[in-house]
Amino acid sequence: MIEVLWDVIFPQRNCTLCHASGFFSSRRPWCSHCEQCLEDLKSNQYICSKCGKYMEDDLQVCLDCQESKPLFSIARAVGPYEGGYRQVIKQFKFLEKKKLACRMAQMMADVVIDTPGYWPLDVVVPVPVSQEGMISRGFNQSELLARRIARYIRVKLMPEVLVRIKMVPPQRDLSREERKKNLINAFAVPNNEWVKGKNVLLVDDVYTTGTTARECSRVLYDAGANRVSVIAWAAGKGF
Ligand SMILES: [Zn+2]
Ligand SMILES: [Zn+2]
């Protein structure tokens, strides 16, 4: 509903990705050429059957997951963290094009709907934003996505289930090991009753090293969740 209003008040005359002119909307923020490019980027790619990362070879399971099996049951993304997928996340997150959440969430919901490994589901939970992100952007991008995904798949949204309890320095420049250490005990479930016995869909914008998704899953399982699965807009490369 809000999107419809947005589209009326702020009509979009250019493709978000290639800037070609035309008539666009929150449901169709990019042109059919760019839509095809996104489609092509993800087709014919090998993905890790566990975490959904994109791989050069058909290994079935990436080295990360072979080394230490994630607790979550399945993680998938709409596409690889490159090209248009990367551009979209940049615009959404850093240029605050919140309207993009509409189409992004729809594509994420489609992946969940079409992948049997996700079902059944009871609650949708966004990854809580870091203080750094909240201060610089003032919104939690994962919650914007989660809210719409919950609506599309008709599953209850519960953003209060997971909270950040630790100030975490920016993750960007850290090694994988440092990231992992950094995130230990960064999240908590304030009330175990909210997740006890529930099948949880965790929503994140990007799945890169997987440390955040892994740590959130651990906390959710500790609180008594029955099953945790993860959906992201884009996933990084696995080896
Ligand atoms: Zn375009
Ligand atoms: Zn993997």
Side-chain angles (χ1 to χ4, degrees):
M1 189 61 209
I2 291 168
E3 285 91 15
V4 178
L5 265 179
W6 261 341
D7 290 336
V8 173
I9 302 167
F10 307 108
Q12 189 190 330
R13 302 267 189 255
N14 296 89
C15 166
T16 302
L17 291 169
C18 73
H19 308 295
S21 51
F23 291 97
F24 300 93
S25 64
S26 45
R27 279 175 188 277
R28 191 181 165 271
W30 43 76
C31 69
S32 41
H33 167 75
C34 289
E35 179 80 32
Q36 191 56 50
C37 288
L38 289 176
E39 196 57 43
D40 292 347
L41 258 182
K42 70 172 181 187
S43 54
N44 301 320
Q45 292 245 38
Y46 297 117
I47 60 166
C48 168
S49 62
K50 187 76 185 170
C51 76
K53 274 197 284 196
Y54 291 79
M55 300 186 294
E56 300 288 317
D57 304 302
D58 189 10
L59 288 174
Q60 296 288 329
V61 178
C62 75
L63 291 182
D64 273 349
C65 292
Q66 283 179 35
E67 236 168 60
S68 106
K69 205 175 161 206
L71 291 172
F72 55 72
S73 62
I74 187 174
R76 288 289 182 273
V78 179
Y81 189 40
E82 58 187 43
Y85 291 98
R86 204 182 176 117
Q87 211 182 324
V88 168
I89 204 79
K90 233 165 115 184
Q91 299 197 351
F92 174 53
K93 227 166 134 172
F94 303 109
L95 296 179
E96 295 192 23
K97 294 202 173 179
K98 294 186 201 168
K99 228 164 84 164
L100 287 173
C102 186
R103 179 73 181 129
M104 290 168 79
Q106 193 183 35
M107 290 166 83
M108 290 162 84
D110 285 344
V111 172
V112 174
I113 290 165
D114 295 340
T115 312
Y118 280 101
W119 298 91
L121 284 170
D122 302 306
V123 284
V124 176
V125 175
V127 167
V129 73
S130 67
Q131 280 88 349
E132 184 210 17
M134 203 62 191
I135 291 162
S136 62
R137 286 190 292 279
F139 71 102
N140 178 359
Q141 70 281 357
S142 299
E143 190 177 330
L144 281 190
L145 295 169
R147 196 181 301 154
R148 287 173 174 80
I149 292 169
R151 214 182 296 150
Y152 287 129
I153 65 175
R154 294 169 189 271
V155 173
K156 191 178 176 194
L157 171 76
M158 286 187 79
E160 64 278 27
V161 157
L162 260 185
V163 293
R164 286 249 181 193
I165 52 167
K166 194 168 98 178
M167 275 291 273
V168 177
Q171 296 277 93
R172 271 193 306 274
D173 310 319
L174 301 181
S175 73
R176 169 182 247 119
E177 274 314 301
E178 286 170 323
R179 276 185 189 221
K180 221 168 162 179
K181 239 189 258 161
N182 219 355
L183 284 179
I184 290 176
N185 301 324
F187 305 99
V189 175
N191 185 346
N192 289 0
E193 290 304 317
W194 292 337
V195 284
K196 202 174 273 176
K198 298 266 168 66
N199 299 311
V200 181
L201 176 67
L202 186 67
V203 178
D204 205 356
D205 53 353
V206 182
Y207 185 105
T208 43
T209 58
T211 35
T212 306
R214 281 171 181 253
E215 187 54 19
C216 287
S217 304
R218 189 186 65 75
V219 172
L220 287 164
Y221 278 115
D222 279 355
N226 179 53
R227 185 165 45 77
V228 179
S229 49
V230 184
I231 183 72
W233 165 253
K237 286 236 183 300
F239 299 95

